[in-house]
Amino acid sequence: MSTTTVLPLLEVADVAADMGCDGAEELRFLTADLGTTGVGATLHRIRPGARQPFGHRHHAATNEEVYVVLAGSGRLAAGDVVHELQRLDAVLVPAPLPRAMEAGPDGMEVLVFGTRHDADGELEMGWWPDQPAVT
């Protein structure tokens, strides 16, 4: 029997402090609360002017992610390219590229989703491209 799940996103635990985000953002992993089996989803709420303290990448070739800006604006670094983003922009990031975000002056809310692969992410503290090309 199939069922649907409705999840108020702000009721999901904010784990940013556990991940070392030092007040830069709220970080809510939605997958367990939604009960997904094949899709991973995360809500990021980045404070105005803040940059994530780490980048991350995935190793499974099929673990691409889509980033959708729900509110605000900012930048997403993917590999050596930094993309300027605004509300309702979507970006596809392939699995092997490191990625991180920083918010503009009004902050940025981003919903990220992709194929679920447990324990596939690798964090790199302080990652950001040295000399990015802006698109």
Side-chain angles (χ1 to χ4, degrees):
M1 178 160 124
S2 297
T3 62
T4 58
T5 302
V6 175
L7 178 66
L9 300 184
L10 298 181
E11 290 181 11
V12 174
D14 175 9
V15 298
D18 299 338
M19 305 265 316
C21 290
D22 290 335
E25 72 175 305
E26 294 175 22
L27 180 59
R28 301 171 193 277
F29 294 107
L30 311 176
T31 303
D33 291 75
L34 281 171
T36 68
T37 58
V39 175
T42 306
L43 177 65
H44 297 264
R45 298 178 82 200
I46 306 170
R47 308 271 188 259
R51 179 183 288 171
Q52 293 178 310
F54 54 81
H56 82 281
R57 71 178 78 225
H58 296 281
H59 298 289
T62 58
N63 201 356
E64 61 191 12
E65 291 180 321
V66 175
Y67 289 67
V68 179
V69 179
L70 302 177
S73 64
R75 302 191 313 160
L76 173 102
D80 62 355
V81 177
V82 177
H83 302 278
E84 298 286 341
L85 301 177
Q86 58 187 352
R87 182 177 176 268
L88 298 181
D89 282 347
V91 181
L92 171 65
V93 181
L97 290 180
R99 76 280 320 252
M101 295 180 285
E102 72 178 7
D106 297 322
M108 186 166 68
E109 290 187 15
V110 180
L111 181 62
V112 181
F113 56 96
T115 307
R116 180 179 175 181
H117 296 277
D118 289 335
D120 178 53
E122 174 186 340
L123 298 181
E124 184 179 340
M125 294 307 292
W127 181 85
W128 191 264
D130 290 332
Q131 296 180 329
V134 178
T135 63

